[in-house]
Amino acid sequence: MAQYDVIFLGGGPAGYVGAIRCAQLGLTVGVVEREGLGGTCVLWGCIPAKALLEAASMATKVRHAAEFGVITGEVKTDFGIAMKRSRDVSTKNSKGVEFLFKKNKITWARGFGSLKPGNVVEVMAGDGTVTRYLARNVIIATGSVSVPLPFLPFDEDRVLSNVGALKIHEVPKHLIVIGGGVIGLELGSVWRRLGAKVTVVEYAPTILP
């Protein structure tokens, strides 16, 4: 059983940054992550959303270019290309984290991690094989996931989580965003700028609470 000074459960902004710092301080480090490195921010949040925002912003600027004395032709958008670029940017950033792991000699245990008695971390890979690691210290940095409404479960077809929202390849005619927080308004503004009708539903008295 391989032993480490510290093992992080989760390879997101807390896990991978903490792991790199621990390695720089001379500790032996392992990180358990079943998806790509970088967490929600890199894979399904900030980074890919900003890439889509840039595309939507560019389309909006070109449409209004005549107001600045710049004459263009008809503006057409291909959301499939914009989405592919968004995913490519996300993948590139994740690979960057992976490079830093190799540079700092951090072990990436790919799979679903469980904490067992005696600081044993059990990792189940995608093929069902189980590997166990022993750690002097374990840091839980698993992040969060979207919570579906009890009467409206995610099917990632019509009812989308933030993950499913970053996989569609066409602009919907009408999109209802449940939640007026950062992610909801950010993604909603992308589709609005690209021509969709967007309705935001928020329980709180203000948006962006």
Side-chain angles (χ1 to χ4, degrees):
M1 188 186 304
Q3 300 184 27
Y4 294 88
D5 291 321
V6 58
I7 289 180
F8 287 80
L9 292 177
Y16 82 76
V17 174
I20 291 170
R21 185 57 182 149
C22 285
Q24 290 171 342
L25 293 172
L27 302 177
T28 55
V29 184
V31 173
V32 181
E33 174 56 59
R34 61 182 173 180
E35 205 172 4
L37 295 174
T40 297
C41 181
V42 168
L43 299 173
W44 304 108
C46 318
I47 300 301
K50 294 299 186 296
L52 288 175
L53 277 172
E54 182 66 19
S57 176
M58 188 176 296
T60 301
K61 287 179 180 178
V62 174
R63 287 194 183 97
H64 293 275
E67 299 172 15
F68 297 87
V70 179
I71 309 302
T72 64
E74 180 186 0
V75 179
K76 296 182 179 181
T77 58
D78 188 323
F79 190 65
I81 293 175
M83 182 63 77
K84 182 182 182 302
R85 177 180 177 274
S86 170
R87 299 311 312 150
D88 289 345
V89 169
S90 177
T91 299
K92 184 177 180 180
N93 275 265
S94 183
K95 291 294 183 183
V97 177
E98 190 174 345
F99 169 77
L100 291 174
F101 270 36
K102 293 176 181 178
K103 178 182 177 181
N104 289 281
K105 297 180 173 59
I106 298 169
T107 298
W108 175 14
R110 305 186 191 208
F112 183 86
S114 301
L115 183 58
K116 303 298 181 180
N119 277 19
V120 172
V121 176
E122 188 175 275
V123 180
M124 179 178 289
D127 60 4
T129 59
V130 175
T131 307
R132 293 177 177 83
Y133 303 89
L134 183 63
R136 287 201 302 118
N137 303 278
V138 177
I139 297 178
I140 299 174
T142 51
S144 60
V145 294
S146 298
V147 178
L149 295 174
F151 55 87
L152 202 63
F154 298 132
D155 61 15
E156 304 301 10
D157 179 28
R158 292 190 65 196
V159 183
L160 308 170
S161 67
N162 63 302
V163 174
L166 288 169
K167 290 182 178 179
I168 63 176
H169 292 282
E170 60 181 17
V171 179
K173 292 181 180 179
H174 184 191
L175 186 76
I176 296 176
V177 179
I178 301 177
V182 175
I183 294 177
L185 294 183
E186 195 168 57
L187 292 177
S189 71
V190 168
W191 288 301
R192 179 67 192 94
R193 293 178 186 184
L194 294 176
K197 177 183 177 182
V198 177
T199 302
V200 178
V201 179
E202 172 56 57
Y203 177 75
T206 61
I207 60 172
L208 286 177

